Amino acid sequence: MTHGAAVLGMADVRKSFPSPAGRVEVLRGVDLEIRRGEFVMVTGPSGSGKTTLLNLAALLDFPTSGRLTFQGRELAGLAEDSLCDLRKRAIGVVFQRFCLLPRRTALENVLFRFRYVGGAEAETRRAALAALDTVGLAALADRPVRVLSAGEMQRVAIARAVALRPELLVADEPTGNLDAASTAAVMDCFRRLNVEGLTVLLVTHNEGLLRYATRHLVCVEGTLNP
Amino acid sequence: MNVRVAMRFWVRDLWEGIRSEPGRVGLSFLAVAIGFTALTLLLAVLDGLRARAQDLVRDLGANVIAVVAEPQGRDAAPVLSRRQADRLAGQLPECRCSALRRYDVRLPGDKRTSVTVLATDERLLPLRGWALEAGRNLDRRDVEEGARHIVASSALARRWGAGVGGLVSLEQVSFRIVGIMSVGGAGLEQEEGHSRLQAGELAVLVPYSAPIAWGDETPESAGRADAVFIQVPPGRAPEDLLPVARNLLEAAGVSWITPEVLLRGVRRWQQAVRLAGGSIALLCLVLGGTTLMSLMVANVRDRMNEIGLRRALGATPADVARLFTAEACLVTGLAALAGMLVAALLVEVVRRRFGVPLQLQGATLGWPVAAALVLGILFSHWPARLAARISPSEALRNE
């Protein structure tokens, strides 16, 4: 399978955090390039830096040093507002514990994707329903998310993440809280979206999911290895 | 962003923000509402005092000096006489002067109700600014001829069931009603120490020269006046004319009352209420605001996930700060409304049951609303800033 232009690039990226015992280096010179249409899966033991890597990929954090690019654009020194603009439209994030708004329906949760983007009401509603349809939950659109199963909740979260057709979908342990059947349903969603052209970066402990990926990387002690 | 969509998002966000921690929001609401009740009550007292000051000035007349004789024995020589008033009028041609003698007589057939009889001339009614509702005022001829003509207050005319031209009896003397007036006095009537200026609801004006059957005149007290009124021409302050009038009248044992004298007491009250009540209201509001702030800080900590989600979806730090500020303003705004409502009820109850002249004017209610916004912005500043400064990755670490 051939892939397009680079969506995300990291060159000698390092990330450290302050701690009572001094600075702790979590990422130690990571080099990574993810091209359009790829489905990259990162595995590794706990504390190896997977989530930190994901936060950088989702533009939720800045590296301490090194070069981070998104669609060829250097992100160092980018103003907060420009970064927020990229997060609004170009990145979709799926969290392990879904991060849904429990009092709202599935459709309202997906519509929340447009909270800081806006758009005409009919258009946003159409896009949100289409996203729910993509994950197979159009029939549950008006159901409050608190009554959905864990697998359905995660699929709502995926619908929210992809409702604006982002360039990159980043998922942190999306199946970590799911049983086998729900895991399969969620992973099928990811695969379908990837087949439709969406670039996916997914972090997991579950090596059984590797068959869904087009590329597998292992994170060990802050470094990324093929 | 489409305005309708944006509004819908805002309403939903604020509603959920408030519902997310009902206990905390309720506590903040209560604390702030108590503050706003205190503030609104303070404003009601100040409004009442302001209205009272206006009543006093209107009742006396904005440009009137009243000279009131101190109470004295019936046989004593008068300290204030009609002759002095006439002399004063001659010496101050630019002013309108009028004297009155006041009697209280029983209403025929009703021993408990008394009528205030003001023996005076034709100048008193326009000078005091009392309105003529029907008929005419006393005229020069009535006074010169000692005619048995009266101008009755509308309340008294109603009581008698008589109109203009009707004959009525006061202490077995018949009088013809030539006019019906509405007498001011809501302000002066309640002013302690100025009872001689009061006319009361049931009052009549009679020519001072009319034969009377209710007086207690002795040769010594004949010609006595209870009060002399001097109306200063427009453009001159009563206080400016006061020294001149004092010299001309040469009367001892009298009180000189000007609008300024009347207002002095009210102003003292206004100042005391503003200081004491204002401090209490401010303290209540600050306490309410501090409660709101501490509970909002706890809210920020509990809503880390939501903050992280919003940031991941593209919210800027300013968006997050605005959300918390708007929630705080909504709480303070609703608390202000509730506080105003409670205060308005209290004002009504106190006014009706205890006759305290509290008042709430529409324009005054703008102050609590403005204060609610300022309070919301001020006391949510720190929590909102705290929320805005949380990095998205840090917020989502709690996920």
Side-chain angles (χ1 to χ4, degrees):
Chain A
M1 188 174 176
T2 56
H3 299 294
V7 175
L8 182 77
M10 291 185 191
D12 194 24
V13 162
R14 291 168 187 274
K15 180 71 185 176
S16 59
F17 295 99
S19 79
R23 290 196 80 80
V24 176
E25 195 159 47
V26 179
L27 293 181
R28 300 169 182 183
V30 169
D31 294 304
L32 170 69
E33 186 178 80
I34 298 177
R35 295 190 161 272
R36 180 163 291 133
E38 274 194 293
F39 191 149
V40 178
M41 209 172 277
V42 178
T43 57
S46 294
S48 59
K50 297 188 302 293
T51 299
T52 304
L53 177 80
L54 210 82
N55 282 339
L56 294 178
L59 314 186
L60 296 173
D61 212 347
F62 281 109
T64 311
S65 68
R67 195 160 172 266
L68 178 64
T69 57
F70 190 81
Q71 294 178 310
R73 190 174 168 193
E74 172 76 60
L75 297 183
L78 203 65
E80 180 68 32
D81 281 0
S82 309
L83 207 61
C84 288
D85 276 342
L86 279 177
R87 277 192 224 125
K88 269 181 204 171
R89 293 180 179 278
I91 311 264
V93 190
V94 177
F95 307 95
Q96 183 177 354
R97 286 181 194 151
F98 329 131
C99 241
L100 296 173
L101 303 168
R103 288 194 180 85
R104 301 193 189 190
T105 64
L107 178 62
E108 285 167 341
N109 266 279
V110 180
L111 279 170
F112 197 64
R113 183 74 179 96
F114 299 86
R115 172 65 181 86
Y116 298 101
V117 179
E121 197 175 2
E123 205 176 291
T124 54
R125 196 179 164 82
R126 201 162 35 242
L129 279 169
L132 277 174
D133 192 39
T134 305
V135 297
L137 289 179
L140 304 181
D142 293 325
R143 201 167 288 185
V145 289
R146 61 176 180 274
V147 304
L148 300 181
S149 70
E152 287 166 340
M153 283 194 202
Q154 192 58 293
R155 282 192 281 158
V156 172
I158 294 170
R160 180 182 63 195
V162 300
L164 268 166
R165 293 273 150 204
E167 287 293 322
L168 176 66
L169 178 63
V170 177
D172 187 8
E173 301 273 11
T175 59
N177 286 337
L178 305 182
D179 59 21
S182 298
T183 296
V186 166
M187 289 313 294
D188 280 342
C189 286
F190 280 117
R191 180 156 59 189
R192 202 162 43 247
L193 289 162
N194 178 243
V195 168
E196 287 170 9
L198 184 68
T199 311
V200 181
L201 170 62
L202 190 147
V203 164
T204 182
H205 274 109
N206 187 347
E207 300 215 341
L209 305 180
L210 290 178
R211 61 195 162 88
Y212 292 95
T214 57
R215 185 150 59 112
H216 173 216
L217 299 167
V218 181
C219 193
V220 183
E221 293 184 347
T223 59
L224 211 51
N225 308 301
Chain B
M1 191 191 281
N2 181 302
V3 177
R4 203 172 141 196
V5 174
M7 283 301 293
R8 189 168 287 185
F9 277 130
W10 266 110
V11 169
R12 197 67 206 258
D13 281 356
L14 292 176
W15 175 233
E16 279 194 5
I18 284 178
R19 279 180 65 198
S20 64
E21 295 292 343
R24 272 183 206 156
V25 171
L27 205 58
S28 314
F29 175 87
L30 193 67
V32 177
I34 290 170
F36 277 107
T37 306
L39 176 68
T40 314
L41 282 175
L42 165 74
L43 292 172
V45 174
L46 289 176
D47 269 356
L49 286 172
R50 200 174 301 125
R52 174 118 188 80
Q54 284 166 354
D55 278 352
L56 286 174
V57 174
R58 193 179 51 239
D59 292 348
L60 179 66
N63 53 347
V64 169
I65 299 171
V67 190
V68 183
E70 303 289 349
Q72 53 187 143
R74 65 188 283 268
D75 297 330
V79 294
L80 204 56
S81 67
R82 184 159 290 113
R83 196 174 305 139
Q84 280 172 297
D86 291 341
R87 201 173 61 226
L88 195 65
Q91 287 164 327
L92 296 172
E94 76 276 25
C95 298
R96 183 185 278 165
C97 299
S98 180
L100 68 79
R101 184 78 203 268
R102 179 197 158 113
Y103 304 95
D104 289 320
V105 302
R106 295 282 160 218
L107 196 64
D110 185 348
K111 287 190 175 170
R112 278 179 302 180
T113 310
S114 66
V115 175
T116 305
V117 176
L118 301 175
T120 183
D121 53 34
E122 76 283 5
R123 288 171 299 215
L124 184 71
L125 186 131
L127 188 151
R128 295 296 306 271
W130 297 339
L132 200 59
E133 288 183 5
R136 64 170 177 85
N137 184 14
L138 299 176
D139 60 19
R140 192 72 220 147
R141 208 167 138 200
D142 291 332
V143 176
E144 282 169 3
E145 292 176 358
R148 286 181 182 173
H149 288 168
I150 61 170
V151 178
S153 68
S154 49
L156 187 57
R158 266 199 307 278
R159 190 99 178 214
W160 273 327
V164 174
L167 278 174
V168 293
S169 166
L170 276 172
E171 299 276 335
Q172 292 156 352
V173 180
S174 290
F175 286 88
R176 183 176 299 282
I177 300 176
V178 294
I180 294 173
M181 62 179 176
S182 62
V183 181
L188 283 173
E189 271 178 15
Q190 294 163 17
E191 190 67 6
E192 282 176 34
H194 299 303
S195 57
R196 310 279 210 102
L197 300 180
Q198 298 167 8
E201 260 200 342
L202 305 178
V204 290
L205 302 184
V206 300
Y208 64 79
S209 46
I212 54 169
W214 50 76
D216 54 355
E217 311 292 54
T218 62
E220 288 76 22
S221 65
R224 172 188 292 181
D226 288 323
V228 171
F229 293 91
I230 308 164
Q231 189 177 39
V232 177
R236 286 190 69 180
E239 282 71 27
D240 294 345
L241 196 87
L242 200 57
V244 181
R246 271 186 205 275
N247 276 338
L248 291 173
L249 203 63
E250 290 176 336
V254 294
S255 302
W256 292 81
I257 299 161
T258 61
E260 186 56 35
V261 170
L262 288 175
L263 291 180
R264 210 172 289 151
V266 177
R267 286 206 189 103
R268 264 199 301 273
W269 270 108
Q270 277 176 322
Q271 202 176 3
V273 168
R274 211 173 281 144
L275 277 174
S279 307
I280 293 168
L282 189 70
L283 202 68
C284 290
L285 285 176
V286 168
L287 275 174
T290 313
T291 310
L292 174 76
M293 185 162 69
S294 61
L295 296 176
M296 278 198 73
V297 169
N299 243 4
V300 168
R301 296 199 195 292
D302 283 356
R303 288 166 68 184
M304 288 285 252
N305 256 355
E306 185 197 326
I307 294 169
L309 173 67
R310 286 177 188 274
R311 295 299 312 276
L313 295 182
T316 62
D319 288 328
V320 174
R322 263 196 293 272
L323 177 72
F324 282 92
T325 304
E327 279 179 20
C329 286
L330 183 65
V331 171
T332 54
L334 291 175
L337 289 178
M340 285 193 288
L341 196 69
V342 171
L345 287 173
L346 285 175
V347 164
E348 203 51 39
V349 169
V350 169
R351 200 169 47 191
R352 283 189 184 182
R353 293 204 68 171
F354 306 106
V356 179
L358 299 179
Q359 210 175 79
L360 263 180
Q361 288 168 356
T364 310
L365 295 178
W367 286 106
V369 174
L373 279 179
V374 171
L375 196 79
I377 293 169
L378 206 67
F379 285 93
S380 68
H381 179 73
W382 183 52
R385 216 168 138 227
L386 195 73
R389 286 169 71 179
I390 298 168
S391 81
S393 59
E394 190 189 330
L396 288 165
R397 199 171 297 150
N398 295 324
E399 203 256 338

